[in-house]
Amino acid sequence: MSSRAADLTPTTVEVIRNQLVNISEEMQARVMNSAYSSMWQEAGDLSAALLSPRAEVAGQSQRAIPIHVATMVTSVGQIVEQTGGYDALEAGDILIQNDPYSGNNHLPDFVVAEPVFFDDTLLGFSAVRGHWLDVGGSSPTSYAIDTGEILKEGIRVPPAKLYEAGERNDALYRVIFANVRDSDERVGDFNAQLAGVRQGRRRLQEVAEKYGAETVRGTVDRLLENDEKRMRSCIEALPDGDYEAEDFLDGDGMTDELLRIHATVRVRGSDIEVDFAGTDGQVSGGINAPPSVTLAATHYAIKCTLNPGILRTSGEFRPVSISAPERSLVNPEHPAPVVAGNHETANRVFDTVVRAIGTIDEALVFGAGEGSTNGLTYRSLASKVANRTRGMGGAGACAVRDGINGIRSGVGNTGIEPVERFEERYDYVTIDEFSIVPDTGGCGRFRGGNATRLTTRFADDVELIVTSDRAKTGPYGVAGGREGASARHVHHTPEGAQHELPSKCSTTLDAGSAFELQPAGGGGYGDPHDRPPERVLDDVLDGYISRESARETYGVAVRGDPPEVDWATTEELRDAE
């Protein structure tokens, strides 16, 4: 190591750390500004990061998606391993894969990465993972529930080099884009993804030019080590022991039976192992979660509970390991399907691990969020134009604040496209309603976030695929907080009838039909009767809870117009408890 690297100062380390984050932000912005699909331009269903020379996350965009970034480690690592190792990397290589059985998460999430060299020294990798709107398979947007095997879910690209020393593998390129729908848009998004990766490479080389390659490498090592020490100190503060919890998924879309996720969190000194023994076996519906996804969701749960706050590096996850039964929901065997709902299982893994940690100390945790991606795919049978969108649920409350209304929480944090963009881009779609639904957040001293209701009307006959959850079990509350409201999925016929649909289904709707997607609300925290009446009144004024809920669940009587607290009746109601 050079003297420049040996003489790292805290100031140098912090400056370079922030540069790694800023470069990742610039990468993400480059992709979103250049992308063709509205899912990337508006919702930002992609993530940018810089990785260490051993493919550990060293810096990430603030908008990065937890399940995207955490699985970059295994995804990029497997590409390197399966293409000749680190000695086979060259400047100008572009790495690509989407194989869930080689460290990726699911087929639509292609990772593209470039090794970054400076003066023949490997600085690390510039990487962007993006959710491609379609990767082929048996259904539009590649989101069929009932494929039964991954071979029907879309094109599967094992770890490979798409470019070798700057030369594109045209045969592989043609194979990929010959097997996806709307290939022009896919090519446009891929080019944006590649532009983001190359931007990261250039910027990281500029940092090395200023500080020296060994200083950059030494800083990354220091960052990883510091974050590992920080997480170990958080784990050591916990009492050794085994802490268990379980939670459930609605089903896999093939059957209606609840599916169990069971987790035992084993704390031993400064290490944590999470054992998923007791989790149900793999299923025929596409909700199985590959080990990389299970590990990523586990890491995120531990990050959020033990050391929340500022974005850090993969060093935080070095003390954490998992054990997952083979042929289970959280460790399936090929060719089990994973595309349509592995993120549903990942969300429940997150909820279950958080719940287990809550048995150690409720102050560490929070009510469960909506617990689903709340995915909605539709395609006009007339024009064949397809889209995928999402609903927004409620976040769980914690010991110091209410949950957020109308948000995606858990392992996915993408945004949602504006209503106007939907209606402009898809001329057979009209949004009848997109609003916050009162009384859907779990009651508590701190209230769970309310869900939204998204009602979409179709002018054409459409094929509809729903990938959601939490319709049968509401998100749990903590420390006496109540469950959030369960999700609802309702078909409104052209004649005005209403039919409740399962949370995972595929069907055809007649022209003039509408579909109502209402995700679950967030779980509450603490006894609802401990919520100050003034806060309850504010919720009524804001339209977050009804007067009836204020009285029945919070013990607060609200009267008059404008509304005000009836203090005498409120005292009687709360004393009666």
Side-chain angles (χ1 to χ4, degrees), residues 418-575:
V419 167
E420 296 79 7
R421 187 69 185 275
F422 270 116
E423 296 181 337
E424 173 190 24
R425 193 175 180 90
Y426 306 100
D427 59 8
Y428 65 95
V429 174
T430 301
I431 306 300
D432 285 354
E433 179 182 6
F434 185 44
S435 62
I436 293 174
V437 184
D439 296 333
T440 50
C443 302
R445 171 173 171 74
F446 293 98
R447 174 184 50 74
N450 284 324
T452 62
R453 181 184 295 119
L454 176 65
T455 304
T456 307
R457 188 169 300 277
F458 304 103
D460 296 347
D461 294 347
V462 295
E463 179 182 355
L464 179 78
I465 301 171
V466 183
T467 314
S468 184
D469 208 82
R470 285 295 193 194
K472 294 183 177 180
T473 60
Y476 58 77
V478 176
R482 309 286 176 82
E483 281 189 356
S486 298
R488 300 181 69 242
H489 312 87
V490 183
H491 170 209
H492 298 257
T493 70
E495 297 76 26
Q498 297 183 20
H499 305 290
E500 194 95 18
L501 298 180
S503 62
K504 300 174 188 67
C505 64
S506 179
T507 188
T508 301
L509 305 184
D510 293 334
S513 293
F515 182 75
E516 175 189 332
L517 174 60
Q518 182 181 305
Y525 192 102
D527 187 340
H529 279 209
D530 289 338
R531 188 170 181 84
E534 298 88 348
R535 296 285 301 278
V536 176
L537 177 62
D538 286 342
D539 288 338
V540 172
L541 291 168
D542 290 334
Y544 296 157
I545 67 173
S546 63
R547 295 191 188 207
E548 292 75 20
S549 178
R551 184 183 186 95
E552 293 170 8
T553 59
Y554 288 97
V556 176
V558 178
R559 66 182 181 189
D561 189 13
E564 62 180 4
V565 175
D566 181 339
W567 290 99
T569 304
T570 295
E571 186 174 352
E572 292 175 5
L573 290 170
R574 291 194 163 183
D575 285 347

Side-chain angles (χ1 to χ4, degrees), residues 126 164 244 389 396 409 416 555 576:
S126 173
E164 293 191 54
E244 298 185 51
T389 187
S409 57
I416 189 168

Side-chain angles (χ1 to χ4, degrees), residues 238-239 243 304-306 353-368 396-401 446 476-482 524-527 530:
L238 304 176
Y243 307 97
C304 289
T305 52
L306 302 189
V353 174
V354 169
R355 199 170 198 174
I357 293 172
T359 66
I360 305 174
D361 184 353
E362 290 178 333
L364 293 172
V365 299
F366 34 84
C398 66
V400 295
R401 62 174 64 91
F446 293 98
Y476 58 77
V478 176
R482 309 286 176 82
Y525 192 102
D527 187 340
D530 289 338

Side-chain angles (χ1 to χ4, degrees), residues 363-384:
L364 293 172
V365 299
F366 34 84
E370 86 280 21
S372 173
T373 57
N374 302 296
L376 179 63
T377 296
Y378 45 81
R379 178 177 66 162
S380 165
L381 297 182
S383 67
K384 306 303 181 184

Side-chain angles (χ1 to χ4, degrees), residues 181-251:
R181 297 176 182 86
D182 198 358
S183 60
D184 287 345
E185 185 176 84
R186 298 291 73 73
V187 169
D189 279 353
F190 168 74
N191 286 336
Q193 191 171 7
L194 186 58
V197 166
R198 287 172 167 166
Q199 181 77 353
R201 183 253 300 161
R202 288 192 294 269
R203 290 290 187 251
L204 187 56
Q205 288 171 333
E206 289 172 3
V207 175
E209 186 173 7
K210 180 175 182 179
Y211 293 98
E214 292 304 322
T215 296
V216 173
R217 285 177 58 107
T219 295
V220 169
D221 287 342
R222 183 74 57 83
L223 292 172
L224 291 162
E225 292 165 3
N226 288 348
D227 286 351
E228 178 183 359
K229 290 176 183 176
R230 186 178 292 106
M231 180 58 78
R232 287 194 180 280
S233 69
C234 294
I235 296 171
E236 285 178 332
L238 304 176
D240 282 3
D242 294 358
Y243 307 97
E244 298 185 51
E246 63 182 22
D247 209 333
F248 296 87
L249 291 152
D250 291 346

Side-chain angles (χ1 to χ4, degrees), residues 1-273:
M1 181 176 291
S2 70
S3 59
R4 294 181 71 181
D7 295 335
L8 288 175
T9 67
T11 299
T12 300
V13 171
E14 185 65 12
V15 167
I16 294 179
R17 184 187 75 81
N18 279 281
Q19 286 182 318
L20 298 179
V21 173
N22 290 340
I23 292 169
S24 301
E25 284 286 325
E26 189 175 348
M27 293 163 62
Q28 183 117 359
R30 173 63 62 93
V31 180
M32 292 178 69
N33 291 339
S34 306
Y36 279 35
S37 70
S38 59
M39 192 166 73
W40 285 21
Q41 293 172 356
E42 303 281 1
D45 196 350
L46 59 104
S47 301
L50 294 175
L51 312 184
S52 77
R54 292 296 167 182
E56 293 182 279
V57 177
Q60 60 180 289
S61 164
Q62 300 280 351
R63 292 170 290 183
I65 298 166
I67 207 74
H68 278 183
V69 174
T71 53
M72 281 185 183
V73 178
T74 50
S75 296
V76 176
Q78 281 292 305
I79 303 174
V80 174
E81 182 178 324
Q82 295 188 37
T83 57
Y86 288 93
D87 291 340
L89 293 172
E90 297 181 85
D93 286 351
I94 297 293
L95 316 179
I96 190 170
Q97 73 131 309
N98 73 334
D99 183 7
Y101 290 100
S102 292
N104 209 62
N105 47 336
H106 71 160
L107 297 179
D109 283 343
F110 269 89
V111 66
V112 176
E114 181 176 7
V116 181
F117 290 92
F118 185 81
D119 290 341
D120 296 324
T121 298
L122 179 63
L123 300 177
F125 299 85
S126 173
V128 174
R129 185 189 298 286
H131 182 118
W132 290 20
L133 186 57
D134 189 282
V135 292
S138 62
S139 69
T141 75
S142 312
Y143 257 75
I145 288 288
D146 55 356
T147 59
E149 59 180 0
I150 194 171
L151 301 174
K152 297 179 183 178
E153 292 189 300
I155 185 170
R156 181 172 159 217
V157 180
K161 291 184 180 181
L162 185 59
Y163 287 72
E164 293 191 54
E167 293 295 321
R168 192 175 76 185
N169 182 336
D170 287 336
L172 176 58
Y173 182 88
R174 289 196 301 271
V175 166
I176 293 172
F177 292 105
N179 284 279
V180 299
R181 297 176 182 86
D182 198 358
S183 60
D184 287 345
E185 185 176 84
R186 298 291 73 73
V187 169
D189 279 353
F190 168 74
N191 286 336
Q193 191 171 7
L194 186 58
V197 166
R198 287 172 167 166
Q199 181 77 353
R201 183 253 300 161
R202 288 192 294 269
R203 290 290 187 251
L204 187 56
Q205 288 171 333
E206 289 172 3
V207 175
E209 186 173 7
K210 180 175 182 179
Y211 293 98
E214 292 304 322
T215 296
V216 173
R217 285 177 58 107
T219 295
V220 169
D221 287 342
R222 183 74 57 83
L223 292 172
L224 291 162
E225 292 165 3
N226 288 348
D227 286 351
E228 178 183 359
K229 290 176 183 176
R230 186 178 292 106
M231 180 58 78
R232 287 194 180 280
S233 69
C234 294
I235 296 171
E236 285 178 332
L238 304 176
D240 282 3
D242 294 358
Y243 307 97
E244 298 185 51
E246 63 182 22
D247 209 333
F248 296 87
L249 291 152
D250 291 346
D252 67 346
M254 307 280 277
T255 71
D256 275 341
E257 295 180 7
L258 289 175
L259 298 171
R260 175 185 288 104
I261 303 291
H262 189 279
T264 301
V265 175
R266 296 195 174 100
V267 179
R268 300 291 188 272
S270 65
D271 291 293
I272 282 181
E273 179 196 21

Side-chain angles (χ1 to χ4, degrees), residues 300-339:
Y300 186 53
I302 290 171
K303 165 68 174 172
C304 289
T305 52
L306 302 189
N307 190 24
I310 192 168
L311 294 174
R312 292 293 181 182
T313 70
S314 292
E316 289 190 306
F317 304 137
R318 289 174 174 175
V320 180
S321 63
I322 67 167
S323 174
E326 294 181 356
R327 293 184 56 80
S328 70
L329 269 173
V330 293
N331 185 12
E333 179 181 88
H334 180 267
V338 303
V339 168

